[in-house]
Amino acid sequence: MALKTLKIQNVRNLREARLTELGTVNVLFGRNGAGKTSVLEAIHLLGMGRTFRGSSIRSLISHGQAACTVFGDISVGANTGEQRQASTSIGVQRELSGEAQVRIAGKPARGLAELVEQFPLQVISAASFDLLTGAPGGRRQYLDWGVFHVEQRFYSQWKRFQRCIKQRNNLLRRGKITDQELSVWTRDLADAGTAISEYRKAYFEGLLPRFLAIMGELAPSLDALELRYRRGWDSALSYADALQQGMQTDKEQGYTHSGPQRADIRVVSNGHLAADTLSRGQQKLVVCGLKLAQGQLMSQAGRGLCTYLIDDLPSELDRQHSELVCSQLADMQSQVFISCVQRQDVESVWPETAQKATLFHVEQGEITRGNTCLLYTSDAA
């Protein structure tokens, strides 16, 4: 899966932009505030229906405009032998009201889940540090994104669980309810929650060795690194038993305390949370390791390659570690969009024998396509 063309309308300071003949490696360079991150946001909007910066849709839309729109052509397959490269078009529009319109191959999408399945993305940006320092919800999203792409049965159970817990919590908040009323939703909640937890655990068991292997390459000095998964209730109990034991507390406080909605994954170094002990640069390497491991696992499961959006790669990383991250990306052969201030920031750290890069200079919301150039190490040059 790869993005071949991109058309952007009214995304922050990008009023009208069109990028064509996109390659495997695409470098967006220019001064800070020029609009490089906005291009990455537009691609993220195309694949996820939202921005990755944590801001509202209103701030994503250009000032004075009612909506922003992104169109893209996505290719699937290869132009080798007798295989012909297939492609599909995707269009996403977000309005000031928050309403989203998504079209895939000219037809309205059934929902954002269909969009996410069409064009899987991984983002490495300043916001990605939340995987270590933020609330558990962000880490659950990271985990569930991976499970969604490798386990086809997950999404239906996830939707079922969300419906059940909403109804159960509504009943709990009413106060005066009978055990019979509550038991119906509790039983369904236990079934769906157990299935979700099993899918997550199986996925985590595949993710863990890949993450540790990648971190062994990126940061071998962090040899006491661990990745831990907590399912959200007492590990000695089934979910049905945990719900039964917590029934009185749930009734008193008006919501369901235990379950997959409280699951978490944590990175631990020498027995302490990585967020508390690692430097900013080490934390970025861990984030890169998590994202790269997820992409590898998805590819190995036969679900295709992710497209990586990397905002300001050199930030917090020295040249040696930037080279290691780029080497991992090059080996995966995923499509990559990388922003930087100077084109040499990427040219000098990308593997010498890897893909060619397509250059885009971004200046005050205007994007100029440069010539394709061979990425090289400055020493070799």
Side-chain angles (χ1 to χ4, degrees):
M1 299 179 185
L3 183 62
K4 305 307 294 182
T5 64
L6 177 69
K7 183 179 180 181
I8 306 169
Q9 294 178 328
N10 301 323
V11 174
R12 297 197 190 274
N13 65 338
L14 303 175
R15 293 298 182 121
E16 188 85 26
R18 183 177 178 85
L19 288 72
T20 61
E21 299 179 9
L22 296 169
T24 301
V25 184
N26 303 275
V27 178
L28 305 159
F29 68 97
R31 297 177 183 178
N32 290 330
K36 306 184 300 293
T37 302
S38 299
V39 177
L40 299 183
E41 280 189 283
I43 299 172
H44 195 265
L45 184 65
L46 191 67
M48 301 289 284
R50 56 181 173 81
T51 174
F52 60 79
R53 292 171 100 173
S55 55
S56 68
I57 285 295
R58 296 182 68 89
S59 65
L60 184 66
I61 300 171
S62 300
H63 181 69
Q65 301 299 312
C68 63
T69 307
V70 183
F71 295 97
D73 290 314
I74 312 295
S75 67
V76 181
N79 282 326
T80 58
E82 295 183 356
Q83 286 185 313
R84 295 190 64 185
Q85 194 172 52
S87 64
T88 188
S89 62
I90 300 176
V92 178
Q93 182 178 82
R94 294 300 304 266
E95 300 179 3
L96 287 173
S97 64
E99 183 179 349
Q101 296 185 40
V102 179
R103 299 185 72 85
I104 299 174
K107 299 179 181 179
R110 296 187 299 272
L112 288 180
E114 185 182 1
L115 178 67
V116 174
E117 188 175 19
Q118 287 286 328
F119 186 37
L121 299 171
Q122 291 282 359
V123 180
I124 299 174
S125 68
S128 300
F129 283 94
D130 284 348
L131 276 177
L132 302 182
T133 61
R139 291 185 289 275
R140 282 194 297 274
Q141 285 183 355
Y142 162 82
L143 184 63
D144 287 347
W145 187 96
V147 183
F148 170 82
H149 282 286
V150 302
E151 175 51 72
Q152 294 182 346
R153 297 169 295 178
F154 171 76
Y155 185 58
S156 61
Q157 292 290 353
W158 183 87
K159 288 194 299 182
R160 180 188 176 197
F161 179 83
Q162 297 301 322
R163 182 177 67 254
C164 290
I165 197 168
K166 180 180 179 180
Q167 292 295 335
R168 188 175 192 269
N169 286 343
N170 285 338
L171 289 172
L172 289 168
R173 282 193 292 269
R174 280 169 45 186
K176 294 181 179 181
I177 55 173
T178 66
D179 290 343
Q180 185 176 6
E181 285 180 291
L182 196 59
S183 64
V184 175
W185 291 107
T186 299
R187 182 179 62 250
D188 286 351
L189 185 71
D191 289 345
T194 299
I196 288 173
S197 185
E198 289 175 351
Y199 296 147
R200 284 174 174 173
K201 182 181 178 182
Y203 177 81
F204 179 82
E205 289 173 350
L207 179 73
L208 177 60
R210 285 166 177 77
F211 169 71
L212 294 178
I214 290 171
M215 291 309 302
E217 297 290 332
L218 297 183
S221 62
L222 300 178
D223 55 356
L225 213 57
E226 299 176 65
L227 188 61
R228 299 176 180 175
Y229 167 61
R230 296 179 180 178
R231 62 181 185 174
W233 70 90
D234 189 338
S235 59
L237 299 174
S238 69
Y239 188 31
D241 289 343
L243 287 170
Q244 186 60 42
Q245 284 197 11
M247 184 75 74
Q248 188 58 39
T249 301
D250 291 351
K251 288 180 178 179
E252 291 172 356
Q253 300 192 14
Y255 68 95
T256 305
H257 284 73
S258 61
Q261 78 280 9
R262 297 179 66 86
D264 198 2
I265 55 173
R266 286 297 182 97
V267 181
V268 176
S269 178
N270 288 307
H272 302 281
L273 290 177
D276 298 333
T277 59
L278 299 186
S279 69
R280 188 75 170 173
Q282 289 172 325
Q283 288 182 28
K284 184 163 186 175
L285 288 172
V286 169
V287 168
C288 289
L290 289 169
K291 299 285 189 168
L292 291 166
Q294 195 166 65
Q296 281 189 10
L297 189 56
M298 179 176 169
S299 176
Q300 197 247 355
R303 302 293 288 172
L305 296 173
C306 300
T307 292
Y308 279 82
L309 310 179
I310 304 177
D311 194 21
D312 196 9
L313 174 67
S315 176
E316 283 100 14
L317 293 183
D318 58 24
R319 174 173 170 172
Q320 176 189 359
H321 288 103
S322 294
E323 288 178 346
L324 290 170
V325 172
C326 288
S327 179
Q328 290 281 339
L329 288 165
D331 287 345
M332 290 177 66
Q333 299 185 337
S334 293
Q335 187 178 35
V336 182
F337 292 82
I338 309 180
S339 72
C340 56
V341 176
Q342 301 290 335
R343 51 185 281 188
Q344 292 82 4
D345 294 339
V346 174
E347 289 177 341
S348 63
V349 297
W350 198 267
E352 181 180 359
T353 58
Q355 305 97 331
K356 291 182 178 181
T358 303
L359 303 176
F360 295 94
H361 182 237
V362 187
E363 185 67 30
Q364 295 182 346
E366 298 292 331
I367 303 174
T368 304
R369 190 182 190 280
N371 294 325
T372 299
C373 73
L374 183 65
L375 290 174
Y376 59 92
T377 60
S378 58
D379 291 342

